[in-house]
Amino acid sequence: MRRSRLGSLIAVTAAATMVLAACGGGGGAGGGQGDGAAGVFADCKENPNTCNSVPADQLQKGGQISFALEKDIQNWNITSAEGNVFETAMALKGVLPFTFVTQPDLTLAMNEDLLASAEQTSTSPQTIVYEIKPEAVWADGTPITADDFVYNWKVQNGRDCPTCAAATNSGYDQVQSVTGSNNGKTVTVVYSKPYTDWKNLWSSGAPLYPAHIAAQQGDLNTPEGLAAAFSYFEKTVPTYTGGAYRIENWQPNVALTTVPNPQWYGSTKPALDRVIFRIITDATQEPVALQNNEVQVIYPQPQVDLVQQVANIPNVSQYQGLGLTWEHFDLNLANPFLADEALRDAMFTATNRQDIIAKTVGQFNNEVGPMNSHMFVPGQPGYEDVVSETGHGNGDVEAARKILTDAGYTGAQEGQRLTRPDGQVVPPLRIRYTTGNAIRQNECELFASYMRPLGLDVQVVPTDDLGGTLNSGDYDIMVFAWVSSPFPFANAQQTWLSTSSSNFGKYNNPEVDRLLTEAASSTDEAAARDLLIQADRILSEDAYVLPLYQKPTFIAVQNSVANVRNNSSLDGPPYNIQEWGLRAG
Amino acid sequence: MLAFAIRRIAASIPILLISSFVVFLLASLSGNPLDELLFRNPPPPPEVIALETERLRLDEPLLERYWLWLTGLFTGDFGPSVHSTLDIGAELTRRFIVTMRLIALAMLVAVVLAVVVGVVSAVKQYSKTDYTATFLGFLFLAMPSFWLAILLKQAGIDFNDAVGQQVIYTIGASSVIEPDGFWAKVADTAGHMVLPTISLALISYAAWSRYQRASMLEVMDSDYVRLARAKGLSNRRVMVRHALRNALIPLTTVTALDLAAIISGAVVTETVFQWRGMGDLLLTAIRDNDTYVVMAWLLVTATVVILFNLIADLLYAVLDPRIRYA
């Protein structure tokens, strides 16, 4: 009897195990080897701007694409500080008109649907003339004119509407006047001080909101009227559109449904019946939704498991690009020991970036390499390697020791204590990272291990409050990421200028300040770029920040989806939403 | 009974106050809600940061902020969210309904399953059926809910592949574009509800079925059941009228007491299945360092848990006269 009960128990256990195994193995059976980086994205590396292309006349007529969006839309005004969210900007890409957009190869392109031309017609004062196409209209038939430029300038320049919490005043505060002529279809913008990044104004990151609807909220010649309009655009789901799509339905926290705008004036008419932005706030659920065809496009941050999971889904293609976000080690120069350039130089020389990459993002992306510029990311015009020549990031411990010895340091050996020429022992240093970020924790632990052979004790300490920690200077070394920009000149000032609020490490080099200021207020983009490269070289030599790598971006689509491709900029894959479609048949 | 209920409610007020204060401290000190703005490149103008600091009361001392929150509750003000357009009260109501729909259905399924399996296991003690039920019970008890949910999702996809059409959905409470026709809508809702309901129900079912089995065994071994049998009552009548009715008493209270566990299970279930309920609200608020939304969640959840604990006590007294008379 006892044996029989035991036998029953074993049989039940075995059966249940088999059931579970069958459940767990379902993915494999249903999956098999996916198309991986090939499939519809096979030529994306060579042709980032045109891969996965299907001509409009060969697309299926109708159908819908669901795009997974990782954040809810809480604020509809992208030009506001609160509404300037990447996901919201992607969702409204087909609704709001703009002047310039960033393409997948990170170059800028004029919006040829809206503009016939955008040119600098004078350098003193810097004057830009935009010619708006006559057929460009809002969905209610109101022409898109200089009035729209004026309204959007006023709410972002920090002067006309002080209470409008704009995402940035940068550039708009240097505009002296915006005037319209030719029935408003010619817009003349005059700058009080040259602004190298003029293409950033009214671009896809800060698109145009309709002035005629703004005027319904109040007098646009008064701060109160402007504030009322600004607030209206924050709170109100757009019923207006000046793009290829209009909003059909918004279900908070669930989905934004867009349908073609019948008044769309662009050359490429949408082939789809609908584009749905489906909100999936947990990235790990996106591959399953993709496999179950509940969404057709996902754009999550890549992780090892996620990339492998997607690779096992049949009829799905994936691609990893390298984006504008880059990881780096920052030193706090307010620490008197780190104020010594020789020590900083040695620390960066002993740091092995290739090893860090191999043990972190290299596990799921073999394209990532060390980044060698503080100003530009690889692929951007102006990118030049200014780090390798300094020897930083190569993990050369002997060279690092020599730097220290030459500078008079002693004890640069594992097990000893590094001592300054004046006899002071270098105290333990703290490297900090955001709590819960496993990749950064690894980076910190690796950094600490590279410092040990130099006699440096580096302690890894997480922080819950990255901003607070940086602002208070409560760190010796910090690892975090900057987001670079297709508009690098103002961006560089913000990041590297000694007077900037983002100068957490108290870096101060008057020559760098001069070069950055000059670069940001130039009317000659190529000359400005050269100035940034010069500043970049000095920054490298000063051993203040060590760039690590560009963070990868990841896109996966059902193979039926056409004309959707990776765009690692802040415009994201919807940069060409009007071209999206489904393969016929 | 009324005095008892009032005493219990009064006793729960200090608990609510202390827990809210502790959570407020933890939520406020765990991160800076302005981080997202401060790390933009370019960052917003300093005036914007100053305005946000003031709006979120970050310029006030911590104790003052707590006091403002507490006193604000009496006027229906839950405090400012990091998302200025968010009405916390309205959002809570919407989310509460979604979560309660999920929890109520899951509890119903779990109770029915637990009672049936528990009773059958007890009646057929040490049989193959009992062993199977016992094994499955412990298996689901030991299984992390997120893992069970992921397995269920995969099973759902395999089912769809097998039948060749979209029957089971893995995200959301309904399709974005609802199908036309009543039955199509019913099928759509069912297709979205089946996995999260099973996922949440199985976790509770596992524990409850064990309670039910133990309780049933105890009752079946009692003198009054033996007396009922001795009087010649049919087995069915003995089981249903005498044994089961009494064996259900402990389960009733356990069910009510387990609500806190179910709510925490719902946090995971809602995340995996992307339901926009209270659990999703909590996780989003934590991610955004949205202290006042976390506090609103705590307030509602703690109140529900305290209420259900009270109901459990009252029910126990109602169902078991010995408690009432004691």
Side-chain angles (χ1 to χ4, degrees):
Chain A
M1 186 66 186
R2 181 171 288 179
R3 179 173 293 175
S4 136
R5 280 178 189 164
L6 183 66
S8 304
L9 192 62
I10 291 169
V12 167
T13 309
T17 309
M18 281 190 285
V19 169
L20 279 181
C23 272
Q33 274 302 308
D35 292 331
V40 300
F41 294 136
D43 62 334
C44 277
K45 201 176 167 199
E46 292 75 29
N47 307 305
N49 293 352
T50 54
C51 60
N52 191 26
S53 282
V54 173
D57 57 356
Q58 291 172 30
L59 290 170
Q60 175 187 314
K61 300 291 171 226
Q64 70 180 40
I65 289 178
S66 288
F67 181 98
L69 207 62
E70 292 188 1
K71 271 189 188 161
D72 183 34
I73 300 173
Q74 299 274 359
N75 184 316
W76 298 93
N77 190 345
I78 306 172
T79 62
S80 73
E82 196 189 313
N84 191 239
V85 175
F86 174 54
E87 285 76 8
T88 309
M90 284 203 292
L92 295 182
K93 203 64 73 189
V95 173
L96 300 169
F98 48 81
T99 53
F100 285 85
V101 69
T102 311
Q103 300 189 102
D105 64 357
L106 303 181
T107 58
L108 290 171
M110 189 182 73
N111 179 1
E112 292 181 0
D113 290 323
L114 177 74
L115 299 175
S117 67
E119 282 168 11
Q120 182 171 281
T121 56
S122 165
T123 55
S124 184
Q126 185 183 29
T127 305
I128 311 295
V129 176
Y130 299 89
E131 293 290 348
I132 303 172
K133 286 194 168 171
E135 63 269 28
V137 291
W138 296 99
D140 60 6
T142 307
I144 298 175
T145 65
D147 290 347
D148 301 309
F149 282 68
V150 171
Y151 161 74
N152 286 280
W153 164 58
K154 282 184 173 176
V155 291
Q156 293 180 84
N157 65 21
R159 294 189 303 268
D160 290 298
C161 180
T163 56
C164 292
T168 180
N169 300 148
S170 188
Y172 296 99
D173 55 357
Q174 288 175 226
V175 172
Q176 186 182 303
S177 66
V178 180
T179 47
S181 55
N182 183 27
N183 288 328
K185 287 291 181 181
T186 301
V187 188
T188 305
V189 180
V190 179
Y191 288 79
S192 57
K193 195 170 91 177
Y195 187 64
T196 320
D197 283 325
W198 61 267
K199 288 176 186 168
N200 193 16
L201 305 196
W202 305 286
S203 69
S204 57
L208 293 166
Y209 282 80
H212 66 287
I213 291 179
Q216 292 166 11
Q217 317 309 318
D219 181 357
L220 299 186
N221 294 311
T222 65
E224 295 76 24
L226 288 168
F230 196 75
S231 172
Y232 170 83
F233 288 129
E234 285 186 313
K235 293 175 183 159
T236 316
V237 181
T239 49
Y240 47 85
T241 175
Y245 283 88
R246 69 174 175 84
I247 293 173
E248 182 188 52
N249 186 27
W250 164 238
Q251 296 166 263
N253 266 306
V254 176
L256 179 76
T257 306
T258 61
V259 294
N261 168 16
Q263 299 295 323
W264 171 236
Y265 46 85
S267 54
T268 305
K269 307 293 177 197
L272 296 166
D273 291 330
R274 277 191 194 90
V275 174
I276 296 172
F277 291 92
R278 186 78 196 253
I279 294 163
I280 304 180
T281 52
D282 181 3
T284 58
Q285 308 311 324
E286 291 179 37
V288 184
L290 182 69
Q291 186 180 357
N292 204 31
N293 205 27
E294 287 166 271
V295 292
Q296 288 74 46
V297 185
I298 63 171
Y299 193 60
Q301 276 288 313
Q303 306 278 350
V304 178
D305 294 346
L306 190 139
V307 170
Q308 285 171 356
Q309 196 180 352
V310 172
N312 285 327
I313 305 175
N315 303 317
V316 162
S317 299
Q318 58 166 290
Y319 180 77
Q320 286 188 53
L322 294 174
L324 289 165
T325 307
W326 55 283
E327 201 86 345
H328 49 87
F329 286 131
D330 282 32
L331 301 181
N332 186 351
L333 309 194
N335 179 324
F337 291 89
L338 293 176
D340 181 17
E341 191 183 321
L343 178 58
R344 301 199 305 266
D345 202 9
M347 288 169 76
F348 281 175
T349 303
T351 304
N352 189 337
R353 294 186 299 171
Q354 199 62 61
D355 185 46
I356 289 174
I357 291 166
K359 288 171 178 163
T360 54
V361 287
Q363 291 178 55
F364 55 84
N365 186 317
N366 53 19
E367 299 285 329
V368 183
M371 186 164 144
N372 290 310
S373 167
H374 300 78
M375 304 291 173
F376 306 95
V377 297
Q380 267 187 302
Y383 178 79
E384 199 170 304
D385 181 354
V386 297
V387 177
S388 299
E389 63 203 35
T390 62
H392 295 165
N394 295 336
D396 190 341
V397 177
E398 285 313 314
R401 281 197 184 117
K402 186 170 182 316
I403 293 167
L404 291 169
T405 314
D406 290 351
Y409 281 80
T410 55
Q413 293 293 332
E414 187 150 6
Q416 296 186 21
R417 300 290 301 277
L418 187 68
T419 307
R420 287 208 312 198
D422 61 5
Q424 284 195 70
V425 174
V426 179
L429 301 171
R430 289 168 312 146
I431 183 165
R432 311 200 67 176
Y433 70 97
T434 315
T435 306
N437 189 322
I439 287 182
R440 287 191 182 155
Q441 186 181 357
N442 276 346
E443 289 164 359
C444 288
E445 279 162 4
L446 288 166
F447 185 85
S449 73
Y450 304 140
M451 296 303 112
R452 238 169 265 134
L454 301 182
L456 273 171
D457 178 15
V458 174
Q459 296 165 356
V460 177
V461 185
T463 171
D464 284 335
D465 181 6
L466 179 65
T469 307
L470 281 167
N471 275 318
S472 63
D474 187 18
Y475 68 97
D476 299 310
I477 307 127
M478 178 70 87
V479 59
F480 67 107
W482 282 125
V483 183
S484 199
S485 164
F487 309 99
F489 304 101
N491 193 62
Q493 273 197 312
Q494 180 57 44
T495 312
W496 307 114
L497 213 57
S498 62
T499 51
S500 164
S501 58
S502 302
N503 180 20
F504 305 115
K506 308 300 173 207
Y507 175 71
N508 189 352
N509 186 323
E511 178 62 6
V512 171
D513 282 359
R514 185 188 67 78
L515 290 165
L516 295 174
T517 310
E518 217 173 296
S521 53
S522 170
T523 51
D524 181 348
E525 203 173 310
R529 207 171 284 127
D530 287 342
L531 292 170
L532 276 199
I533 295 168
Q534 286 179 48
D536 199 359
R537 187 157 276 119
I538 298 172
L539 263 168
S540 262
E541 286 161 2
D542 285 347
Y544 162 50
V545 165
L546 179 64
L548 295 177
Y549 56 83
Q550 268 177 289
K551 290 175 88 167
T553 58
F554 176 85
I555 187 169
V557 301
Q558 297 275 356
N559 284 346
S560 55
V561 170
N563 297 332
V564 176
R565 59 185 75 95
N566 179 62
N567 183 328
S568 300
S569 76
L570 291 177
D571 286 325
Y575 82 102
N576 66 335
I577 192 169
Q578 70 278 13
E579 295 172 5
W580 288 9
L582 295 169
R583 286 184 162 77
Chain B
M1 184 77 86
L2 183 66
F4 170 73
I6 292 170
R7 264 203 316 276
R8 284 296 309 270
I9 289 169
S12 63
I13 291 173
I15 298 171
L16 260 179
L17 279 174
I18 293 168
S19 61
S20 70
F21 184 65
V22 171
V23 173
F24 188 85
L25 281 184
L26 289 174
S28 300
L29 297 174
S30 64
N32 183 356
L34 298 181
D35 260 1
E36 202 275 318
L37 286 181
L38 291 168
F39 280 91
R40 293 240 187 102
N41 204 353
E47 296 79 17
V48 172
I49 302 289
L51 277 174
E52 277 297 284
T53 304
E54 193 185 334
R55 190 180 68 79
L56 295 172
R57 303 172 183 164
L58 298 174
D59 50 348
E60 306 282 357
L62 206 55
L63 286 177
E64 174 117 14
R65 273 188 262 164
Y66 178 72
W67 180 249
L68 285 172
W69 172 77
L70 196 61
T71 48
L73 290 179
F74 294 103
T75 57
D77 176 12
F78 286 93
S81 163
V82 295
H83 305 290
S84 63
T85 53
L86 183 74
D87 177 347
I88 296 180
E91 188 70 12
L92 270 180
T93 312
R94 201 161 42 230
R95 303 279 195 145
F96 188 72
I97 292 168
V98 172
T99 296
M100 284 304 132
R101 188 166 60 146
L102 177 62
I103 286 179
L105 195 62
M107 282 178 85
L108 183 70
V109 171
V111 165
V112 171
L113 260 179
V115 169
V116 172
V117 172
V119 168
V120 171
S121 276
V123 172
K124 300 191 172 187
Q125 194 183 11
Y126 302 136
S127 67
K128 284 178 185 172
T129 312
D130 183 26
Y131 282 130
T132 308
T134 301
F135 174 79
L136 288 176
F138 281 115
L139 184 74
F140 291 130
L141 206 56
M143 206 181 255
S145 53
F146 75 90
W147 190 53
L148 176 63
I150 289 167
L151 288 180
L152 284 171
K153 275 185 153 191
Q154 196 54 57
I157 292 174
D158 291 346
F159 180 79
N160 286 342
D161 288 344
V163 299
Q165 58 175 318
Q166 191 100 324
V167 179
I168 307 281
Y169 297 86
T170 66
I171 50 167
S174 63
S175 292
V176 176
I177 309 294
E178 284 197 352
D180 294 329
F182 176 75
W183 290 112
K185 277 183 185 158
V186 169
D188 182 69
T189 306
H192 282 85
M193 290 198 80
V194 62
L195 296 184
T197 306
I198 292 174
S199 170
L200 194 57
L202 282 183
I203 306 292
S204 306
Y205 144 80
W208 294 350
S209 68
R210 305 310 300 161
Y211 272 110
Q212 185 60 40
R213 180 180 180 274
S215 165
M216 193 71 186
L217 283 173
E218 192 183 327
V219 171
M220 280 164 58
D221 201 33
S222 64
D223 290 341
Y224 67 86
V225 169
R226 265 198 295 276
L227 178 65
R229 287 189 201 280
K231 281 165 70 180
L233 293 178
S234 69
N235 191 44
R236 182 188 169 85
R237 197 174 168 84
V238 170
M239 285 297 159
V240 176
R241 291 288 297 274
H242 296 271
L244 181 58
R245 278 183 72 169
N246 285 294
L248 279 175
I249 295 175
L251 184 67
T252 311
T253 51
V254 165
T255 308
L257 289 171
D258 267 1
L259 189 76
I262 297 173
I263 289 175
S264 60
V267 173
V268 176
T269 310
E270 285 175 8
T271 305
V272 175
F273 293 100
Q274 293 291 293
W275 276 47
R276 304 302 173 203
M278 296 285 286
D280 178 72
L281 181 71
L282 174 70
L283 290 185
T284 309
I286 291 172
R287 253 197 309 266
D288 293 347
N289 290 318
D290 206 342
T291 304
Y292 296 100
V293 174
V294 173
M295 295 307 293
W297 181 91
L298 172 88
L299 200 69
V300 172
T301 312
T303 307
V304 169
V305 170
I306 287 169
L307 195 71
F308 269 71
N309 279 347
L310 180 66
I311 290 171
D313 285 349
L314 297 179
L315 268 180
Y316 207 70
V318 170
L319 293 171
D320 191 344
R322 287 171 300 181
I323 305 288
R324 212 180 323 157
Y325 298 137

